[in-house]
Amino acid sequence: MTDPQPTIDVEDFGHTPQGIATKLYTLTNRNGLQAKIADYGATLVQLRVPDRAGALADVVLGYGKLADYLAQSPYFGSIVGRYCNRIAAGKFSLGDQTYTLATNSGAPAAPCHLHGGDSGFDKKVWRAETLPDPAGPGLRLRYLSPDGEEGYPGNLDVTVTYRLTNQNSLRIEFRATTDKATVVNLTNHAYFNLRGEGNGDILEHRLLLNADSYLPVDAGIIPTGELRPVRGTPFDFSALTAVGARIDADDPQLARGSGYDHNWVLNKPAAADPYALAAKVVEPQSGRTLEVWTSEPGIQFYSGNFLDRSMVGKSGNPYGPRAALCLETQHYPDAPNQPHFPTTTLLPGEIFESVTSYHFGVE
């Protein structure tokens, strides 16, 4: 008997308000793991992985049809950019030129630019190309962001490639080039619940973050510029710790985020290759585990604090507070305004490249 072969299937996913048809691509590896990805927002719609008994469950929040993403989505599973996370006051400078972006988030007294603006990459229809491969099926998606879109300079040519390997990893590769100096920070905004989407909260998920420091934020959730040691604080996940163990501690930083919504400064190897373990999650009930490996310098851990049960997911269950966690690999928030942070500037002739893998197992 031969082993099952990886497959790629395509189906209709609905039309945008502009009448653009969208597609949903299903990648299945030889072990039966399955990822569904829409060309709208290059969105990870579904990810089915086994528990310790071999039973598959969908472990990412989201919807079963395009209309729900159009109506209300806090970036469920989407690629966000040009600049993921926040830019203070929606302004940055390159050389002697200052650029003004939408301030689509934050309090009235401290507005900021978030996740690419009013119509970021999560709201675009990407051009898709299937990548059949015996080692695991793939999907390449491309979007050309024109000069001036959402206030950003330069024509930015972006490619995102998803690969569902036979080693049970979902690998995400980013590549971008520009014809004018610009800033770039890209991530996937998947919301994970390893018990299964819509199945309770993530407070008992045990989390490890490979980071000795994190970025404290001001009242506008913008990094202050300090790299603060995690040791002795509720932000210390250097060993596996339940997400809920200290989430309600009396800490000003937790109060500002209504829980965890901060960027951790990842520990990196001394070798030239920056690809390293960023995070590990263990869900005790199902036995599912998730390891996050990345070439990025930071990871935003968001504990789903603002999910409010107004959104009903694929399971038919509403998503309440802390129904999922996000582990968004990226450069630091507000880096264009903080010169001592790793740069997010991309120049003509340069290539932005980044890779993140989500590896699933059981214990």
Side-chain angles (χ1 to χ4, degrees):
M1 182 176 179
T2 60
D3 291 334
Q5 292 302 302
T7 60
I8 304 175
D9 298 300
V10 189
E11 60 189 289
D12 293 334
F13 196 54
H15 289 75
T16 69
Q18 296 76 31
I20 301 172
T22 65
K23 298 291 185 182
L24 185 67
Y25 298 82
T26 301
L27 313 182
T28 306
N29 75 2
R30 70 183 182 196
N31 306 317
L33 271 73
Q34 194 173 81
K36 291 181 180 286
I37 300 158
D39 55 10
Y40 178 79
T43 299
L44 178 64
V45 170
Q46 184 182 98
L47 185 58
R48 289 170 55 80
V49 301
D51 65 9
R52 64 166 64 93
L56 294 171
D58 180 9
V59 297
V60 294
L61 273 56
Y63 301 120
K65 57 188 179 192
L66 176 64
D68 290 329
Y69 286 96
L70 296 172
Q72 184 184 24
S73 174
Y75 310 96
F76 285 142
S78 299
I79 298 299
V80 289
R82 286 189 193 190
Y83 200 98
C84 65
N85 219 311
R86 296 172 173 87
I87 296 177
K91 294 182 183 296
F92 68 93
S93 297
L94 289 172
D96 58 1
Q97 180 71 46
T98 297
Y99 296 95
T100 301
L101 314 173
T103 49
N104 58 319
S105 186
C112 68
H113 178 80
L114 178 68
H115 290 333
D118 293 328
S119 183
F121 290 175
D122 61 296
K123 297 178 178 65
K124 307 301 182 183
V125 179
W126 297 57
R127 190 167 76 245
E129 174 191 4
T130 58
L131 303 173
D133 189 334
L139 183 70
R140 180 177 295 130
L141 300 114
R142 185 178 180 188
Y143 177 68
L144 179 62
S145 177
D147 183 21
E149 184 174 59
E150 288 293 323
Y152 289 96
N155 293 293
L156 189 75
D157 191 352
V158 185
T159 301
V160 177
T161 303
Y162 289 91
R163 299 182 186 274
L164 186 62
T165 75
N166 291 330
Q167 288 71 46
N168 294 351
S169 292
L170 181 67
R171 181 178 172 94
I172 307 175
E173 302 163 359
F174 296 93
R175 188 181 191 274
T177 58
T178 184
D179 61 0
K180 187 186 295 185
T182 192
V183 295
V184 180
N185 196 15
L186 302 173
T187 195
N188 177 278
H189 206 303
Y191 286 69
F192 293 101
N193 184 328
L194 296 187
R195 286 184 186 170
E197 64 89 22
N199 187 10
D201 61 43
I202 45 79
L203 296 177
E204 293 181 4
H205 283 49
R206 299 169 64 212
L207 173 66
L208 178 148
L209 294 172
N210 183 21
D212 294 332
S213 57
Y214 78 104
L215 304 180
V217 296
D218 63 19
I221 319 297
I222 300 295
T224 63
E226 176 190 359
L227 277 62
R228 184 175 294 177
V230 299
R231 187 170 182 176
T233 77
F235 293 81
D236 188 355
F237 288 92
S238 56
L240 283 167
T241 303
V243 170
R246 299 167 303 205
I247 199 169
D248 295 319
D250 184 11
D251 182 281
Q253 285 296 310
L254 289 173
R256 285 178 177 169
S258 297
Y260 297 107
D261 192 7
H262 297 73
N263 210 274
W264 270 252
V265 178
L266 294 173
N267 299 330
K268 288 295 184 178
D273 184 0
Y275 186 69
L277 178 70
K280 181 175 182 178
V281 185
V282 176
E283 201 293 292
Q285 181 176 306
S286 66
R288 292 187 182 94
T289 65
L290 165 62
E291 288 186 355
V292 183
W293 292 72
T294 190
S295 60
E296 287 292 321
I299 189 166
Q300 185 85 7
F301 166 39
Y302 170 53
S303 50
N305 312 309
F306 300 109
L307 298 171
D308 61 3
R309 301 184 65 82
S310 64
M311 291 166 281
V312 177
K314 294 162 286 183
S315 61
N317 296 321
Y319 296 145
R322 298 165 182 168
L325 57 83
C326 301
L327 296 167
E328 307 157 57
T329 57
Q330 57 189 255
H331 275 56
Y332 306 158
D334 200 38
N337 296 313
Q338 309 220 26
H340 61 292
F341 284 179
T343 185
T344 53
T345 300
L346 183 67
L347 301 175
E350 296 179 342
I351 300 175
F352 170 88
E353 291 182 298
S354 172
V355 60
T356 293
S357 289
Y358 296 97
H359 178 73
F360 294 91
V362 294
E363 65 176 39

